[in-house]
Amino acid sequence: MSRVVRVAAGQLGPIQREHSRAEVVARLIELMRQAAAEGCRLIVYPELALTTFFPRWWVDDIRDADRWYETEMPNADTQPLYDEARTLGIGFCLGYALRELDSEGRTAHRWNVMTLVDTDGTEVATFKKVHIPGHAANEPDRPFQHAERYYFEPSPDGFGVWDAFGGRVGMMICNDRRWPESYREMGLQGVELILCGYNTPLHYVPDPSQDRLQGFHNALVMQAGAYQNGTFVVGVAKGGVEEGVDSLAESQIIGPSGEVLAKAVTNGDELIWADCDLDWCRQYTGTLFDMDYYRRPEVYRHLTTRRGPRTLA
Ligand code: CDT
């Protein structure tokens, strides 16, 4: 049986502070309709796809940021997206901020998540971001903050894979794509299709010499991760100038060969898609990258015993 799944990346242009979720959901639905018209079975949206990238701002009382988080999914604002997906028979993967409540209705956790929904409207899984970049304290001298470590807890769950869309699907969120461990954790579970949303400012405040390389690094990590693990990778941006901060677009779909199969050409709302033949993965994971045959976990002891060179085992 053919395992070709037509997958779309629904890149978004900027979402400004004053844009309501209803306005954003209308944009998501427009992209979803385009994807369905092209025969896609799945559309992937960016990280934090319902709001502006609010970690660029500092608030002394984190509760003042509560409005940027969802407390349930679906909710009144996103139900139209779920309804449209079910009508069209298309699955989707949506990034958003989740404020998990305890039984008393108090905030228990703040997560940066992506939820994968199947073509029949049922949730496959919700993945929590593992690698949380940036800083946890206010840095007022910066032109803008990247205070994700204030707004989000790192996932304690790591990287899972799920059987969906005729294959084995994993998720990662933005900074996760820069870490080889993310791909490998999923690769060791037989992943065939990795879905990744991102928000990447073009200006990297700690080292501006990297600014001109943002597009190169984005492609470098996703192409290497795809090839070395014999998997498709769907990277989806929120690009353009959002609240004065310019962000990388360049959404792309990469095959297990490491080749880019489709790539966005604008930094606004744009749909790209590719036919992902999941059987192609075996040509890599069954030969050069037959991990069961060639890997040497017995000599990789530093990988799980150290965080970095200074964290001695
Ligand atoms: N959203 C996100 O994870 N962005 C990071 C920016 C790193 S700079 C603090 C990224 O890896 O693209």
Side-chain angles (χ1 to χ4, degrees):
M1 198 181 86
S2 162
R3 294 204 304 138
V4 178
V5 50
R6 187 166 290 181
V7 180
Q11 175 177 288
L12 289 177
I15 300 173
Q16 311 300 352
R17 180 196 280 268
E18 74 272 15
H19 290 161
S20 68
R21 283 177 178 68
E23 288 173 285
V24 176
V25 167
R27 289 164 61 185
L28 300 177
I29 288 174
E30 170 56 29
L31 287 164
M32 181 179 275
R33 287 180 178 154
Q34 289 177 30
E38 297 288 358
C40 299
R41 279 182 62 203
L42 171 64
I43 178 169
V44 185
Y45 297 113
E47 173 192 37
L48 299 181
L50 294 172
T51 65
T52 198
F53 188 78
F54 62 89
R56 73 169 61 89
W57 294 304
W58 184 262
V59 289
D60 287 328
D61 184 340
I62 199 168
R63 291 172 299 186
D64 290 340
D66 282 356
R67 67 194 177 105
W68 303 116
Y69 297 77
E70 316 305 310
T71 53
E72 57 183 347
M73 189 59 64
N75 54 37
D77 289 312
T78 55
Q79 190 61 53
L81 182 71
Y82 279 70
D83 293 343
E84 187 72 16
R86 203 186 309 235
T87 302
L88 296 170
I90 187 171
F92 65 93
C93 186
L94 179 72
Y96 58 95
L98 176 66
R99 195 160 57 85
E100 197 179 312
L101 306 180
D102 66 16
S103 56
E104 313 283 299
R106 292 177 303 228
T107 302
H109 300 284
R110 295 172 187 272
W111 309 112
N112 185 341
V113 304
M114 290 188 85
T115 291
L116 178 61
V117 177
D118 214 332
T119 52
D120 63 0
T122 58
E123 179 175 320
V124 176
T126 291
F127 166 79
K128 303 180 185 103
K129 187 172 183 173
V130 171
H131 300 95
I132 308 291
H135 48 101
N138 191 17
E139 297 189 7
D141 291 341
R142 283 174 168 255
F144 55 88
Q145 306 291 303
H146 198 108
E148 278 198 67
R149 293 179 76 87
Y150 178 58
Y151 290 110
F152 300 118
E153 282 175 61
S155 168
D157 303 331
F159 296 94
V161 297
W162 294 270
D163 288 330
F165 301 94
R168 189 155 287 189
V169 184
M171 290 176 271
M172 60 186 181
I173 299 179
C174 196
N175 193 255
D176 289 329
R177 77 194 189 286
R178 301 191 193 272
W179 297 90
E181 292 86 350
S182 310
Y183 305 85
R184 187 60 106 217
E185 277 289 310
M186 291 184 265
L188 289 169
Q189 299 171 80
V191 78
E192 296 171 315
L193 179 63
I194 297 179
L195 315 177
C196 177
Y198 61 89
N199 283 262
T200 296
L202 289 172
H203 179 38
Y204 182 55
V205 178
D207 178 16
S209 75
Q210 297 181 29
D211 294 2
R212 69 180 180 86
L213 300 170
Q214 289 293 358
F216 169 64
H217 288 157
N218 182 52
L220 179 73
V221 292
M222 293 197 295
Q223 290 184 255
Y227 168 63
Q228 291 173 336
N229 295 278
T231 179
F232 288 87
V233 173
V234 183
V236 191
K238 170 138 63 67
V241 182
E242 191 178 85
E243 296 293 337
V245 177
D246 201 359
S247 291
L248 182 72
E250 301 191 19
S251 300
Q252 50 203 283
I253 302 174
I254 299 156
S257 61
E259 293 167 289
V260 175
L261 308 178
K263 185 173 176 180
V265 293
T266 73
N267 62 359
D269 291 12
E270 181 180 344
L271 190 88
I272 59 170
W273 57 264
D275 283 328
C276 300
D277 180 354
L278 301 179
D279 287 334
W280 190 12
C281 300
R282 280 293 295 166
Q283 286 178 237
Y284 289 85
T285 59
T287 59
L288 186 69
F289 293 125
D290 181 342
M291 298 187 207
D292 279 317
Y293 193 68
Y294 294 114
R295 278 187 83 248
R296 301 285 318 285
E298 66 277 17
V299 299
Y300 302 154
R301 62 189 172 89
H302 297 122
L303 285 178
T304 53
T305 55
R306 292 187 182 188
R307 183 175 303 151
R310 293 189 308 276
T311 349
L312 298 179

